[in-house]
């Protein structure tokens, strides 16, 4: 288990509502697109992070976490496991409070680094599945 229920609840309800979604583009066929919509429906501000820096769901996109000119609370990661560790490290550098690796994204070393830096972290789970279960 890569995210106990208390950590999941804390990330979704207590740590803040600005979510940088790494891998989110305007491609409607990608999972990130639908998950970002669900997060918005639950009151989260999504910030698309993708090399194309596209505006998605009405929110300005950025090419990297470092390019975002404001604080983010949670970094939601939609990249493959081989790239996810670097994103977790960027989330630590950005000052995020939590990192969420999506379904199928697992990097034990990145989990350890993020936790050691004081961030909450969940891996191999989906906030769009978890958030409706909270009510």
């Amino acid at each position: 288990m890569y995210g106990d229920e208390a950590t999941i609840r804390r990330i979704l309800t207590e740590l803040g509502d600005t979510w940088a979604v790494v891998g989110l583009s305007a491609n409607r066929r990608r999972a990130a697109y639908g998950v970002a919509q669900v997060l918005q429906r639950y009151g989260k501000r999504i910030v698309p992070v993708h090399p194309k820096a596209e505006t998605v769901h009405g929110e300005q996109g950025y090419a990297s976490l470092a390019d975002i000119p404001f604080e983010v609370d949670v970094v939601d990661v939609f990249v493959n496991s081989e790239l996810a560790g670097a994103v977790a490290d960027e989330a630590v550098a950005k000052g995020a409070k939590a990192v969420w690796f999506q379904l199928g994204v697992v990097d034990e070393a990145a989990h350890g680094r993020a936790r050691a830096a004081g961030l909450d972290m969940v891996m191999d789970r989906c906030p769009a599945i978890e958030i409706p279960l909270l009510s």
Side-chain angles (χ1 to χ4, degrees), residues 5 8 16 18 24 33 43 45 49 54 56 60 62 65-66 70-71 76 80 83-84 87 92 96 99 108 122 132-133:
E5 297 307 313
I8 290 169
T18 302
L24 175 58
Y33 191 89
R45 176 186 182 191
V49 180
E54 298 172 303
V56 183
Q60 167 67 47
Y62 298 90
L65 287 174
F70 49 84
E71 292 183 8
D76 189 7
N80 65 45
L83 302 174
V87 177
V92 170
V99 178
E108 297 284 347
V122 171
L133 301 175

Side-chain angles (χ1 to χ4, degrees), residues 1-3 84-89 92 99 101 105-123:
M1 178 82 105
Y2 298 118
V87 177
D89 295 339
V92 170
V99 178
F101 282 5
V105 181
V106 175
D107 182 328
E108 297 284 347
H111 184 273
R113 291 193 306 273
R115 297 289 299 134
L119 279 70
D120 279 328
M121 183 154 182
V122 171
M123 295 192 299

Side-chain angles (χ1 to χ4, degrees), residues 15-75:
L15 294 186
D17 292 332
T18 302
W19 285 54
V21 184
V22 179
L24 175 58
S25 70
N27 184 344
R28 294 171 182 264
R29 294 185 308 269
R30 304 291 298 181
Y33 191 89
V35 170
Q37 275 185 315
V38 171
L39 290 170
Q40 278 187 320
R41 274 200 304 273
Y42 280 88
K44 306 300 181 190
R45 176 186 182 191
I46 58 104
V47 182
V49 180
H50 189 280
K52 294 180 183 178
E54 298 172 303
T55 296
V56 183
H57 301 310
E59 293 286 347
Q60 167 67 47
Y62 298 90
S64 71
L65 287 174
D67 290 341
I68 301 172
F70 49 84
E71 292 183 8
V72 298
D73 301 308
V74 181
V75 176

